Amino acid sequence: MITFLISIVLLVVGYFTYGKYVEKVFGIKQERKTPAYAQEDGIDYVPMGTKSNSLIQLLNIAGVGPIFGPIMGALYGPVAFLWIVLGAIFAGAVHDYLTGMISIRNRGAHLPQLAGKFLGNAMKHVVNGFTLLLLLLVGTVFVSAPAALIHNLTGNWMSLGIIVGLIFVYYILATLLPIDKIIGRVYPIFGALLVISAIGIGGGLVITGAPIPELTLENMHPDNVPIFPLLFLTISCGALSGFHATQSPIISRTTKNEKAGRKIFYGMMIAEAIIAMIWAAAAMSLFDGKSLSAIIANGGPAAVVSEVSVTMLGAVGGTLAVIGVIILPITSGDTSFRSARMILADYFNIGQKKFSSRLWIAIPMFVVSFLLTKIDFTLLWRYFSWANQSTAMLALWVGAVYLKRSRKNHWIATIPAIFMTVVTTTYICNAPIGLGLSMNVSYLIAGIVTVLATVLFFKSKFDEREALTVDDDREVA
C-alpha cells in the first residue's frame, strides 16, 4: 500500500514540478493566435474551453490501454509501478505535451506532417504508415474490447455482432460530424462515469487496506518474467504511448490559448497514469501472479476488470465501474478513426468542410477495421504494442529535433527517445511477430540502431533560418 500511495503522490508532484519545467523549456506565447481561431472551420478547428479540452483529451488517450495494459503488466509485480511513475513523468507526459504544443505552433499539424518537417520528407511517409496502422489497430481493439464487456454485462441477451455494429455506427457519426456536435456534448457524461469508476476502485483499495505488494529489491526482477523490453510495451498507455501523439493534434485544433497546454496535455497524461496505477494495484492485490495469469488466459483482461469491480464495489457499484471501463475504449476508438480521417485528409490535401469529402475517406477505414475484428485480440494487441511504442519513439525524436532547432534543452525529449529506440528495436528483432532472433543478437542490433540514430541526431546541423522556422509564424496574432 505504501508504494502505491507514494506513487500517486509522485505523479501529482511531477505535474506541478517537472511539468512546469517542461512548459518553461518549451516557452509558451499567450499572445499567439492558436489554430482554433486562425483556421476555424466549424468541423475540426473549433475553439473550446480548457475544461472541455482537458476532459476530451483524457478520454481520448485513456482507452482500455491504462486498464488492460497495467492488468497484464501486473504479472511483473510492483516493478510495474516504477515504470508507470517514471515513464509518465519523464517520458509520457513530455511526449504528449510536446506533440500537442508543436502541433499548435504548426497549424494543428498531425504527426506525419511534423515528422516530415523535422525528420525529413521520407519520414513523413514512414510515420504516416505507422500512425494509420496504429489508429486502425486501436480503433479495432476499441470496438472488440467494449463490445465484449457489454456482451457480458447484459447477460449475453444481445448478440456480440449487433453490439459491434452499434459501436461502429457511433464511431462513424463521431468521425464525420463536427467535433462539438457529438464528442463535445457526450464526453462530459462519459467523463463522470470514468471518474466514478476510478474513484470507486481506488477508494476501495485504500479503505479496505488491500494487500498491494510493496516494491523491494527482492521483487525488482520477477521470476521467469523478462522485464526488458516486454514491460515497456505491455504497459504503454499509463506510462508512454505513441497513440497519444495521434490524439493531441485533435485538441491542438480546439485549444484557445497556449497556456492551457500544460493542463490539457501534460496533466491529462498524469491523470491517465493514476488510472493505470489504480488498476495495476487492484490486479496485484486481489490475485496472486498465478491466478491472475490464469484469469487473463481464460477471459482476457476484461474478465479481471469485471471481477475486480464486483469484488471491490459489489454488484451495483461494480456494474457502474464496468460501465466506466466500457466508456474508456469507446471514447478513444471514436477519435482514433477521426484522427485517421484527418491524417489522410492532410496527407492527400483534401478539404474537410464538405461532408462527402469526409465520407469517402472514412468508409474504407471502417471496412478494413471491421475485417480486423475477426482477428484474435491477443494477436492484435501484440502488433498494437509495437506499433504504439514505435510511434512514441518517433514522436519523441520529433520533439528532440524541434527543441534542438529552437536552441532549447532537447534532453527532456532526447533521453526518452534514445531509451525507446532501444526498447522497440530489441522487441521487433526478438519477438515471434518480428525477426525472431535471439535476445543477445537483438540487443546488439538495437544498440547499433540506437547509436546510429543518436549520432545522426547530434551530427545534424541547423542554421539560424531553420531555428526561426520551427514554428509556423503565419498564425501569430
Side-chain angles (χ1 to χ4, degrees):
M1 180 65 76
I2 293 176
T3 300
F4 171 70
L5 294 176
I6 290 177
S7 297
I8 299 294
V9 171
L10 288 175
L11 286 168
V12 175
V13 171
Y15 168 73
F16 289 103
T17 54
Y18 197 67
K20 192 169 185 178
Y21 174 72
V22 171
E23 180 185 60
K24 182 179 179 180
V25 169
F26 183 83
I28 61 173
K29 300 176 182 178
Q30 296 191 58
E31 73 282 0
R32 183 185 178 91
K33 184 182 290 187
T34 63
Y37 292 109
Q39 296 165 260
E40 186 172 0
D41 64 0
I43 304 297
D44 299 314
Y45 294 89
V46 180
M48 296 195 297
T50 300
K51 290 183 179 179
S52 295
N53 279 327
S54 297
L55 185 58
I56 292 173
Q57 175 73 0
L58 175 60
L59 291 171
N60 284 355
I61 64 177
V64 290
I67 296 177
F68 283 18
I71 286 174
M72 291 188 287
L75 293 170
Y76 294 88
V79 71
F81 294 153
L82 196 61
W83 167 232
I84 292 172
V85 173
L86 298 180
I89 295 172
F90 297 106
V94 174
H95 166 281
D96 290 12
Y97 182 81
L98 290 179
T99 52
M101 296 303 293
I102 296 171
S103 176
I104 286 177
R105 291 285 179 87
N106 287 272
R107 306 167 68 195
H110 276 273
L111 185 59
Q113 282 67 41
L114 296 178
K117 180 172 183 177
F118 296 107
L119 301 181
N121 195 53
M123 288 304 296
K124 173 182 177 180
H125 306 297
V126 173
V127 175
N128 192 72
F130 255 103
T131 52
L132 288 175
L133 170 64
L134 175 63
L135 288 168
L136 281 176
L137 287 175
V138 169
T140 303
V141 170
F142 290 176
V143 169
S144 303
L149 287 170
I150 294 173
H151 189 57
N152 293 333
L153 188 64
T154 57
N156 304 332
W157 67 268
M158 185 183 296
S159 74
L160 190 60
I162 292 177
I163 297 173
V164 168
L166 291 175
I167 292 176
F168 265 122
V169 169
Y170 167 73
Y171 282 177
I172 291 171
L173 293 174
T175 299
L176 297 176
L177 295 178
I179 192 168
D180 59 338
K181 300 305 181 186
I182 291 185
I183 293 175
R185 292 183 180 180
V186 303
Y187 271 37
I189 300 172
F190 290 167
L193 292 171
L194 167 61
V195 171
I196 290 172
S197 64
I199 291 178
I201 300 299
L205 291 172
V206 175
I207 293 172
T208 61
I212 304 171
E214 306 293 351
L215 178 63
T216 65
L217 291 176
E218 287 73 22
N219 61 23
M220 282 284 288
H221 299 87
D223 296 335
N224 302 319
V225 183
I227 293 177
F228 190 91
L230 295 178
L231 174 64
F232 308 102
L233 286 99
T234 302
I235 301 180
S236 52
C237 295
L240 167 66
S241 171
F243 172 65
H244 299 186
T246 69
Q247 300 301 290
S248 294
I250 294 177
I251 304 304
S252 76
R253 300 184 181 195
T254 62
T255 301
K256 291 182 177 180
N257 191 287
E258 288 190 2
K259 186 175 178 60
R262 180 160 68 98
K263 177 183 287 186
I264 295 172
F265 302 118
Y266 196 100
M268 294 305 102
M269 176 62 232
I270 295 298
E272 186 193 50
I274 292 173
I275 294 173
M277 285 291 304
I278 289 171
W279 281 99
M284 289 182 208
S285 66
L286 296 182
F287 312 100
D288 58 32
K290 184 177 180 180
S291 62
L292 176 61
S293 178
I295 294 173
I296 291 176
N298 292 326
V304 179
V305 168
S306 298
E307 190 155 345
V308 166
S309 299
V310 174
T311 301
M312 295 296 300
L313 303 175
V316 176
T319 299
L320 289 176
V322 172
I323 291 174
V325 173
I326 291 171
I327 293 303
L328 286 174
I330 289 177
T331 54
S332 291
D334 56 7
T335 49
S336 293
F337 290 113
R338 187 180 187 90
S339 180
R341 189 260 298 167
M342 293 161 66
I343 288 174
L344 284 170
D346 290 347
Y347 189 76
F348 292 107
N349 195 27
I350 301 171
Q352 294 295 280
K353 284 190 175 182
K354 292 183 178 180
F355 183 82
S356 58
S357 298
R358 303 196 295 275
L359 182 62
W360 79 260
I361 292 178
I363 288 176
M365 294 191 312
F366 284 107
V367 170
V368 172
S369 180
F370 177 75
L371 295 175
L372 287 174
T373 60
K374 307 301 180 182
I375 299 177
D376 179 61
F377 170 83
T378 304
L379 180 63
L380 278 180
W381 190 264
R382 290 173 186 168
Y383 282 99
F384 161 75
S385 297
W386 177 71
N388 186 45
Q389 297 305 68
S390 295
T391 302
M393 175 266 293
L394 292 169
L396 284 167
W397 280 119
V398 167
V401 172
Y402 175 91
L403 293 175
K404 187 181 179 185
R405 285 192 185 182
S406 303
R407 308 294 193 266
K408 297 174 181 178
N409 178 16
H410 64 80
W411 289 106
I412 61 174
T414 303
I415 292 175
I418 291 172
F419 176 72
M420 290 310 298
T421 302
V422 177
V423 168
T424 54
T425 308
T426 301
Y427 177 80
I428 201 61
C429 287
N430 176 254
I433 68 168
L435 301 179
L437 302 174
S438 70
M439 186 58 77
N440 287 336
V441 174
S442 299
Y443 284 148
L444 177 61
I445 294 175
I448 294 172
V449 170
T450 303
V451 168
L452 289 175
T454 305
V455 169
L456 182 62
F457 170 75
F458 282 104
K459 286 287 186 180
S460 299
K461 302 294 183 182
F462 307 121
D463 57 29
E464 291 299 323
R465 183 186 64 82
E466 287 178 308
L468 294 173
T469 57
V470 291
D471 302 324
D472 189 335
D473 288 317
R474 286 177 291 175
E475 306 311 329
V476 175

